[in-house]
Amino acid sequence: MLQEAFGVNPHIQDIARRFAAQGFLALAPDLFHRSGTRELAYAQHSEAVALISQIGVSPILEDVQAVLAHLQTAEQIEAGRSAVVGFCFGGRAAFTAATRLPDLGAAVVFYGPGIAAGPHATLGEAGAIRAPLLLHVGAEDPTIPPAQVQAIDAALQAAGVRFAQHVYPGAGHAFLCDARPAMYREGAAAQAWQRTLDFLNTELPPGQ
């Protein structure tokens, strides 16, 4: 699990527990560890944007590979039985990981801005994605405008990636985050969560 722009905060920890309750082993690495910042309040939006703008492809890849290596060594879970699930900044990070890790079992992107445009955009590398991909986007998310949603659809289709991208009417950014009542949308959150569980249960082979 890859965090939002605010760190591995109580909400991200809670999502990890929800995955665990469904029988998954969920790990949430601290992608801010190089900066010395562990967590930001939701009100610290400008600080969060500045922090995530510094995190490009290389550190994301290093951290995801470290988690996958730990799973292989400590839990005997290979990459093909692992998925990367990311939220907000972590959604962009999950897409980035999928472009660089061909053995990954699956990837899920929850409202990940910066995939199709921005300094760390990796949509141009969609042809390298081998894992099945699931994307969730709020129709009213200003950080992922319709033109970018369409660009992601077109690039993934052209690259032959097996994917589904769902757009949720009436939902904006961070619509799964019930820790932020102004942004949370219960109906969209429930639908996206169930789709995610169904996707992971289908795409990740069960363990012994």
Side-chain angles (χ1 to χ4, degrees), residues 2-100:
L2 303 183
Q3 68 199 49
E4 296 175 320
F6 302 97
V8 185
N9 61 12
H11 170 65
I12 294 299
Q13 295 173 39
D14 180 58
I15 295 294
R17 294 188 189 98
R18 295 182 204 179
F19 276 121
Q22 296 295 322
F24 296 98
L25 174 61
L27 286 80
D30 177 10
L31 300 181
F32 287 169
H33 66 91
R34 294 172 183 84
S35 70
T37 299
R38 294 187 61 83
E39 183 181 327
L40 293 168
Y42 290 125
Q44 294 178 280
H45 184 265
S46 59
E47 293 93 331
V49 170
L51 193 55
I52 64 174
S53 68
Q54 301 170 21
I55 304 177
V57 173
S58 294
I60 288 169
L61 192 60
E62 288 173 10
D63 290 349
V64 173
Q65 287 178 317
V67 174
L68 293 175
H70 170 78
L71 288 171
Q72 176 72 63
T73 301
E75 304 289 346
Q76 292 74 57
I77 298 174
E78 61 271 19
R81 287 176 53 212
S82 302
V84 177
V85 182
F87 302 84
C88 179
F89 152 65
R92 186 252 289 176
F95 190 95
T96 297
T99 66
R100 301 300 180 94

Side-chain angles (χ1 to χ4, degrees), residues 174-195:
F175 65 80
L176 190 85
C177 186
D178 50 1
R180 305 172 75 182
M183 307 187 83
Y184 178 61
R185 296 293 180 269
E186 183 177 7
Q191 189 174 32
W193 181 250
Q194 189 58 55
R195 282 171 167 164

